[in-house]
Amino acid sequence: MTCYGGAAAAAALPSLPPTILTTLPSSSSNTSVRVRDVGSGGAEHHNTVLKPTVDGFKWRLLISYDGTHYKGWQFQQTPPTIQCILEKALTRATKLERKDLHLVGASRTDGGVHAWGQVAHFVTPFNYDSLDSIHAALNGLLPPDIRVREISAVVPEFHARFSAKGKTYHYKIFNDAVMDPFQRLYAYHVTHKLNAAVMREAADHFIGTHDFSAFVNSSRNDGVPNPVKTIFRFDIIKMGALLQLEVEGSGFMYRQVRNMVALLLQIGKEAIAPDIVPKILATRDRKELAKYTLAAPPQGLCLVAVKYNEEHLQLPLGCPTTSLGRHHSISKCKVPFY
């Protein structure tokens, strides 16, 4: 399977070259470029002029996707990844090469993991007059299981990954004898009756600042050498047969959430006591967790939100307003009624 975005997708759209206000000469990449203020339309603007980064103007994407058929976020050609397919669409819509886009995602979600609130940024050597056209072009080129929900300009200092101050993940468990077929791609089926009360008691042990070395898989270098993370909340919400585990933290390492969920499942089955959590944390040894469980499967996990400081999300001066997508309406009915 190769990346989506071939001639059939492109043919469905008109050619949409970007509307350019300012194109940067190659020698001006480190200078401030003043661009025409296109009007905020009521949007709040940052109190500085939009400046090019080293590579150009920077844009934030808010993305949702069904990760069932993808090998995670991180770029690779086959099997396809979310980044691969998004870059294909961006190269068509912007007329730029992949290497010039510098697309970066906030979270490198694993294969089969979903996202409602993934954030990414890319750069262009030009400013846009309006973001609605490129927004429509991207969603026209992307397959239906990937959608760009929002596009906005950001300050040069913004970085989708390194500017993140927190992330929220949800993990869904369908706890019944018979699986709901409509939940099979988005929840982990557990037939053993789970004790949600003891799971909540155990989840409370994760809250606070801890060294999570015992809960990280070492099979991938995720570029995050510090295993000390802060968990702000870990809620377990029961909705009929569905258990939703909601965890919010300063950051998470590779498969950390799925490993925490897996241990909570063993506790919910009453195979081990809730106080095993601080004991495993104290060892800082992944082999200790492996004595009790393996990572929970990916389909139940969803990246819900990424948090940033407000100053990183305010619109710079001279930039187009945020695009939330176009709404179509019929201004006049052309069919007579009798």
Side-chain angles (χ1 to χ4, degrees):
M1 186 175 182
T2 57
C3 293
Y4 183 94
L13 292 171
S15 178
L16 290 169
T19 302
I20 301 171
L21 282 179
T22 303
T23 301
L24 303 178
S26 58
S27 62
S28 66
S29 59
N30 293 318
T31 61
S32 174
V33 175
R34 186 169 297 274
V35 294
R36 178 167 58 89
D37 190 346
V38 297
S40 65
E44 184 177 357
H45 281 68
H46 197 266
N47 61 1
T48 59
V49 174
L50 180 62
K51 298 178 182 179
T53 65
V54 172
D55 298 296
F57 295 90
K58 190 172 283 187
W59 312 96
R60 178 185 66 93
L61 301 173
L62 181 62
I63 310 157
S64 62
Y65 50 83
D66 178 339
T68 303
H69 302 296
Y70 302 101
K71 195 67 174 178
W73 166 269
Q74 194 71 4
F75 180 86
Q76 65 181 41
Q77 289 282 0
T78 52
T81 63
I82 304 296
Q83 183 178 0
C84 169
I85 291 177
L86 184 56
E87 284 181 345
K88 281 275 190 177
L90 278 168
T91 57
R92 300 295 291 268
T94 64
K95 314 301 183 188
L96 297 173
E97 297 294 327
R98 174 181 178 262
K99 62 181 176 61
D100 299 321
L101 292 167
H102 300 285
L103 180 69
V104 177
S107 178
R108 292 187 279 185
T109 54
D110 209 2
V113 174
H114 314 293
W116 170 249
Q118 173 72 287
V119 176
H121 76 256
F122 70 99
V123 297
T124 61
F126 43 74
N127 191 16
Y128 283 99
D129 183 34
S130 170
L131 293 172
D132 287 341
S133 292
I134 186 175
H135 194 172
L138 286 175
N139 282 333
L141 289 162
L142 289 168
D145 51 4
I146 304 175
R147 277 295 170 266
V148 174
R149 294 169 49 204
E150 185 178 308
I151 305 180
S152 66
V154 283
V155 293
E157 296 79 15
F158 176 85
H159 191 284
R161 186 178 180 204
F162 297 123
S163 298
K165 297 301 179 184
K167 295 175 184 176
T168 302
Y169 284 91
H170 290 181
Y171 193 98
K172 292 183 179 180
I173 300 163
F174 194 81
N175 189 207
D176 204 355
V178 179
M179 181 61 176
D180 180 347
F182 295 101
Q183 296 283 348
R184 74 190 191 283
L185 300 179
Y186 312 105
Y188 176 39
H189 185 206
V190 176
T191 58
H192 195 294
K193 191 66 176 177
L194 297 174
N195 184 336
V198 296
M199 291 175 71
R200 291 188 186 99
E201 181 183 345
D204 286 343
H205 290 298
F206 285 118
I207 297 174
T209 302
H210 306 282
D211 185 323
F212 282 94
S213 295
F215 289 86
V216 59
N217 282 31
S218 58
S219 60
R220 185 180 80 182
N221 178 12
D222 205 32
V224 185
N226 186 4
V228 177
K229 305 293 177 187
T230 301
I231 302 297
F232 305 127
R233 68 179 181 94
F234 205 143
D235 299 328
I236 298 175
I237 301 168
K238 187 171 176 60
M239 301 173 284
L242 197 66
L243 272 180
Q244 182 162 284
L245 283 63
E246 302 182 358
V247 57
E248 180 182 349
S250 60
F252 299 92
M253 295 182 292
Y254 183 46
R255 292 193 179 174
Q256 179 186 334
V257 176
R258 288 166 58 189
N259 284 324
M260 293 191 297
V261 168
L263 185 61
L264 291 178
L265 282 171
Q266 294 302 316
I267 294 168
K269 293 175 183 178
E270 300 181 337
I272 47 180
D275 63 1
I276 194 66
V277 174
K279 294 176 182 177
I280 293 176
L281 280 169
T283 68
R284 294 183 290 181
D285 186 354
R286 178 65 180 83
K287 293 179 182 177
E288 190 64 25
L289 178 64
K291 295 177 182 178
Y292 300 95
T293 186
L294 299 175
Q299 72 270 18
L301 187 61
C302 180
L303 172 62
V304 174
V306 183
K307 289 188 176 180
Y308 299 91
N309 288 334
E310 285 299 319
E311 57 265 27
H312 281 148
L313 299 180
Q314 290 178 324
L315 295 178
L317 290 174
C319 70
T321 56
T322 299
S323 174
L324 304 176
R326 289 173 173 165
H327 291 275
H328 297 279
S329 61
I330 299 174
S331 57
K332 184 177 180 181
C333 183
K334 298 180 180 180
V335 180
F337 288 91
Y338 297 99

